[in-house]
Amino acid sequence: MSTFWIRALQLMLALSFLVVIHELGHFTFARIFKVRVEKFYIFFNPWFSLFRMKKLNGKWHFKFFSPNVENNMVEKTDANGNVITDKKGRPQYRRMTDEEINSLPADDWRREPDNTEWGIGWLPFGGYCAIAGMVDETTGAAGLPSEPQPWEYRSKSVWKRLPIILGGVMVNFIAALVIYSAILFHWGQEYIPVENARYGMQYADVLVQNGFEQGDKILQIDDKIPDTQKDIVEWLLIDGAETVTVLRGTDTLHLAMPADLGKQVLASGAGSLTEFRFPFVVSEVMPDGPAAKALMTAGDSVVAVNGITTPAFQDVKQELQQHACDSITISYYREGELQEARLYLGDEATIGAYVMRLTEYLPTRRIEYGFWESVPAGIKYGWEVLTGYVKQFKLVFTKEGAQSLGGFGAIGSLFPPLWDWHSWWMMTAFLSIILAFMNIIPIPGLDGGHFLFLLWEMITGKKPADKFLEIANNIGFWLLMILVLYANFNDIFKAFF
């Protein structure tokens, strides 16, 4: 399976899981307060659904690739049987009476309206939970009966509607904390401390342009000593560090950082700001590859390409990329003796060899957690991730931030190219925090928009009109769709240009 499909599968699985638990948050609180949930869907289902099921007469009924089932609504008519319309000529609706529902065929899915219809749609953009009596992306004001019913969302007090709205956000954030705690309990925490960077660090071009040199060892950022790469990135980009103290050879230097470093990084499109440098030592030679044909073997340590000194793996890789489909001279040490080999590189510009892992040279620090230790540690870790993301969010409102927005392609690229459960759960927890934060932003169409209107109602004592809510939600929905299209267009543009 190609790298693309491995990452796409991981992304699809993660988003499906997060959408389900998010909507279950709304569903659970709705049922607690005895509000009907008419439909619960993964993905959207305009016109038809891939799969649907509902419990009727105590038995589950299933349908595949079937058209949508209409709600339990009929047009209102007067005494003469004429359809009643509003001022704009649109039909008015009412709920079917119990008598009308009972007269339906036994297998009609409109029977037993208190039971939820569960399904999977065909349009892979999240999902939804259709709560009775609520104006949202699934129901407009015209689709509501004129008289609120006791089992509808709109008939409940604002203090009951509030947890129904915030249920999804709460579940996503709590789920992230649970996942982080479980990861720490099962795998522990292992990382390479910055102080163990014996070969120095590799820096993105944007940092090199601001005074760093490849191989510099970071000693201090302002008045703080970094422990992890995460510290370096956050303190430089989010906290706006002014001075970085580095060890360059035997000299200690103080590098002044520009105030707009974060904007520069976004404009550069750098995927990784820093990484640990390590030697290029062959661990295995690929059969029939350039290295094999040159009789190189495991243990060979590459130190130069075409006479240019390459003390680290990153240096070798950079030099090789300059000579695709070309002959090169490799200098390497074998058992303490310097040797040379002539290699012909293909269009991938690699020598056809695997290298020793980073951790073979740089010692890691490992922390184990018992069950009761993992819970507060997971909560602390999740809270740090949230605060860091919130701090970064301010960069979105800059020109550089808008240009760097990414869609599904950018998110998918964050997953590893090979399936790894630890990495998948870490990314899923991170996405869960992003989903929680993004949903609480006070934009109509999001949970934060509904919360904003509820807050207005609590302060003023006046509930916004259903028609106003419908218009606001429609505007918010289309703004979000435009943003999604723009972000995914950015992915396509970056991929081809």
Side-chain angles (χ1 to χ4, degrees):
M1 186 181 293
S2 70
T3 296
F4 170 82
W5 289 112
I6 291 174
R7 283 178 164 149
L9 180 60
Q10 292 181 82
L11 175 63
M12 184 67 70
L13 183 60
L15 291 181
S16 298
F17 169 72
L18 295 177
V19 167
V20 168
I21 65 172
H22 178 91
E23 298 302 334
L24 277 175
H26 296 305
F27 175 88
T28 301
F29 281 102
R31 300 307 291 162
I32 287 174
F33 297 117
K34 301 187 185 307
V35 175
R36 284 182 183 173
V37 180
E38 297 172 336
K39 296 184 180 184
F40 187 105
Y41 268 75
I42 304 174
F43 307 147
F44 289 102
N45 61 324
W47 305 299
F48 73 96
S49 303
L50 298 180
F51 168 77
R52 67 174 79 247
M53 66 180 185
K54 185 176 181 178
K55 200 171 187 178
L56 300 174
N57 298 319
K59 296 182 179 179
W60 285 102
H61 293 248
F62 305 90
K63 290 185 179 180
F64 297 89
F65 301 99
S66 60
N68 294 337
V69 177
E70 297 295 330
N71 291 329
N72 302 328
M73 305 280 290
V74 293
E75 294 177 338
K76 294 178 67 175
T77 57
D78 57 23
N80 298 320
N82 299 315
V83 176
I84 299 175
T85 61
D86 60 15
K87 294 179 180 179
K88 294 185 177 180
R90 293 175 299 191
Q92 297 294 290
Y93 294 87
R94 64 170 175 81
R95 293 282 176 183
M96 295 175 68
T97 65
D98 290 341
E99 182 180 353
E100 289 172 324
I101 291 175
N102 292 332
S103 67
L104 295 171
D107 61 348
D108 194 303
W109 282 40
R110 290 174 293 176
R111 296 177 67 92
E112 302 189 35
D114 199 44
N115 289 346
T116 302
E117 176 187 318
W118 304 80
I120 301 175
W122 58 270
L123 191 61
F125 288 107
Y128 68 92
C129 180
I131 298 174
M134 179 178 177
V135 177
D136 58 9
E137 69 273 13
T138 65
T139 306
L144 298 177
S146 56
E147 295 298 327
Q149 302 299 314
W151 34 261
E152 287 186 326
Y153 168 85
R154 58 179 173 160
S155 68
K156 303 299 180 180
S157 70
V158 67
W159 300 108
K160 291 182 179 179
R161 282 179 277 143
L162 190 61
I164 294 175
I165 287 300
L166 297 181
V169 170
M170 289 190 294
V171 167
N172 276 129
F173 183 62
I174 292 172
L177 301 184
V178 171
I179 293 171
Y180 282 133
S181 298
I183 290 172
L184 294 177
F185 173 69
H186 184 74
W187 284 288
Q189 189 175 17
E190 187 173 14
Y191 64 98
I192 300 174
V194 173
E195 65 181 8
N196 291 351
R198 58 188 293 193
Y199 303 100
M201 304 292 290
Q202 185 78 10
Y203 302 96
D205 289 342
V206 64
L207 292 185
V208 173
Q209 294 164 8
N210 281 283
F212 288 91
E213 287 189 7
Q214 308 298 6
D216 284 351
K217 299 179 182 179
I218 296 180
L219 303 178
Q220 191 169 305
I221 299 178
D222 284 339
D223 58 348
K224 297 181 290 186
I225 298 175
D227 183 42
T228 66
Q229 282 184 280
K230 181 172 171 284
D231 292 337
I232 296 174
V233 174
E234 288 189 0
W235 296 351
L236 283 179
L237 301 189
I238 301 174
D239 296 343
E242 297 179 354
T243 305
V244 179
T245 303
V246 301
L247 181 64
R248 183 175 298 167
T250 58
D251 299 327
T252 299
L253 305 176
H254 303 284
L255 308 179
M257 296 292 102
D260 66 341
L261 181 60
K263 294 181 180 180
Q264 290 186 38
V265 170
L266 288 176
S268 71
S272 175
L273 281 186
T274 65
E275 60 183 47
F276 292 99
R277 286 166 65 86
F278 61 100
F280 191 113
V281 179
V282 177
S283 65
E284 182 181 351
V285 175
M286 299 179 188
D288 300 322
K293 293 177 179 178
L295 302 181
M296 293 183 68
T297 187
D300 290 348
S301 178
V302 177
V303 294
V305 177
N306 283 348
I308 299 175
T309 302
T310 53
F313 165 82
Q314 291 87 349
D315 301 320
V316 177
K317 183 179 179 181
Q318 183 176 340
E319 286 302 318
L320 294 179
Q321 289 175 345
Q322 310 299 318
H323 299 284
C325 301
D326 194 8
S327 294
I328 61 168
T329 300
I330 290 285
S331 302
Y332 60 92
Y333 277 97
R334 177 181 294 173
E335 298 179 352
E337 182 179 347
L338 183 63
Q339 300 190 28
E340 285 189 352
R342 193 72 178 169
L343 283 74
Y344 177 78
L345 303 182
D347 54 6
E348 293 184 355
T350 62
I351 68 171
Y354 297 104
V355 299
M356 295 288 190
R357 293 184 303 171
L358 174 63
T359 52
E360 297 284 338
Y361 305 99
L362 306 181
T364 63
R365 180 177 297 159
R366 182 170 182 80
I367 306 173
E368 298 285 352
Y369 295 90
F371 178 79
W372 296 113
E373 295 172 315
S374 67
V375 175
I379 293 173
K380 180 176 180 291
Y381 189 93
W383 183 255
E384 289 175 350
V385 171
L386 175 63
T387 54
Y389 184 77
V390 172
K391 289 179 181 178
Q392 292 179 55
F393 194 69
K394 63 183 179 181
L395 296 174
V396 173
F397 299 99
T398 64
K399 176 184 176 182
E400 295 79 6
Q403 292 175 343
S404 68
L405 280 177
F408 295 117
I411 299 173
S413 67
L414 298 176
F415 287 92
L418 297 176
W419 190 279
D420 177 76
W421 280 110
H422 177 270
S423 298
W424 185 82
W425 279 115
M426 286 292 290
M427 271 303 305
T428 300
F430 178 58
L431 291 178
S432 192
I433 283 181
I434 292 178
L435 185 60
F437 174 73
M438 295 300 291
N439 258 287
I440 204 62
I441 295 175
I443 297 176
L446 296 176
D447 294 342
H450 291 288
F451 172 71
L452 181 65
F453 295 134
L454 287 176
L455 190 62
W456 170 264
E457 184 178 347
M458 285 189 287
I459 295 173
T460 65
K462 297 180 180 179
K463 182 180 178 181
D466 290 336
K467 189 60 183 177
F468 170 80
L469 293 176
E470 179 184 1
I471 294 173
N473 282 329
N474 285 338
I475 293 174
F477 175 80
W478 286 111
L479 286 176
L480 291 173
M481 287 298 101
I482 292 172
L483 182 62
V484 168
L485 290 173
Y486 172 78
N488 283 282
F489 173 79
N490 269 356
D491 285 347
I492 297 172
F493 184 83
K494 292 173 186 177
F496 292 97
F497 300 97

